[in-house]
C-alpha cells in the first residue's frame, strides 16, 4: 500500500508531465482542477472564474460526485459571465474519473467547450 506522501508525489509528477503539453491562451484559458479536503484560497494568481463545493449554494448535493457536477455547472455559468466560452482542461494529475469527470461533465452541461 502506498502512503499519502507517495501518492501526492506521484500526482505532482503526473501534473508536471501534463503541464508540459497543456497551455492556456487568451482564446482558450486553462481550466485547472484541484481536488482537496482543505479549503484553499489562492489570491495571488489571476482567476477568471472559480467555484467550490464549500459554497453554501453548492454544498447541498447528496454525494461528492453530485456536488462536483453542480460545481462544474456553476463554474460554466461564471466563466460565461466573464466572457469565456472555451477552455483547455488541466485535470491536475488526477485520473479522469469520479469527481474530476463529474465536474467536467457539469461544465459541458453548463455550456463550456472543453
Amino acid at each position: 500500500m502506498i502512503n499519502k506522501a507517495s501518492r501526492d508525489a506521484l500526482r505532482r509528477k503526473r501534473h508536471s508531465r501534463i503541464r508540459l503539453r497543456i497551455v492556456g491562451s487568451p482564446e482558450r484559458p486553462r481550466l485547472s482542477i484541484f481536488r482537496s479536503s482543505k479549503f484553499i484560497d489562492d489570491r495571488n494568481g489571476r482567476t477568471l472564474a472559480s467555484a467550490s463545493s464549500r459554497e453554501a449554494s453548492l454544498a447541498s448535493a447528496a454525494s461528492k460526485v453530485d456536488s462536483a457536477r453542480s460545481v462544474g455547472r456553476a463554474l460554466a455559468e461564471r466563466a460565461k459571465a466573464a466572457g469565456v466560452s472555451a477552455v483547455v482542461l488541466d485535470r491536475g494529475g488526477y485520473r479522469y474519473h469520479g469527481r474530476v469527470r463529474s465536474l467536467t461533465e457539469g461544465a459541458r452541461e453548463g455550456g463550456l467547450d472543453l
Side-chain angles (χ1 to χ4, degrees):
M1 180 169 216
I2 299 174
N3 63 13
K4 182 170 175 23
S6 296
R7 280 194 316 257
D8 280 349
L10 291 171
R11 185 195 69 82
R12 277 191 240 108
K13 188 175 180 180
R14 278 191 310 272
H15 189 209
S16 63
R17 262 195 328 261
I18 291 167
R19 287 288 291 130
L20 291 173
R21 293 174 298 192
I22 296 177
V23 178
S25 66
E27 296 82 32
R28 285 181 78 97
R30 184 170 56 96
L31 170 63
S32 178
I33 297 174
F34 183 70
R35 197 182 77 199
S36 174
S37 62
K38 300 175 185 163
F39 181 65
I40 296 186
D41 184 16
D42 184 15
R43 296 181 187 205
N44 297 327
R46 183 170 184 267
T47 303
L48 300 174
S50 66
S52 172
S53 61
R54 300 245 182 193
E55 296 173 17
S57 61
L58 302 175
S60 62
S63 69
K64 291 179 184 179
V65 175
D66 293 337
S67 178
R69 186 175 295 268
S70 63
V71 167
R73 283 191 213 112
L75 182 61
E77 290 173 14
R78 294 172 188 176
K80 291 183 102 180
V84 177
S85 61
V87 296
V88 177
L89 179 66
D90 176 7
R91 57 188 172 84
Y94 301 108
R95 291 174 46 194
Y96 187 79
H97 80 291
R99 287 182 273 172
V100 175
R101 181 176 179 176
S102 184
L103 187 138
T104 56
E105 288 173 356
R108 283 189 185 107
E109 290 171 7
L112 276 182
D113 179 25
L114 294 171

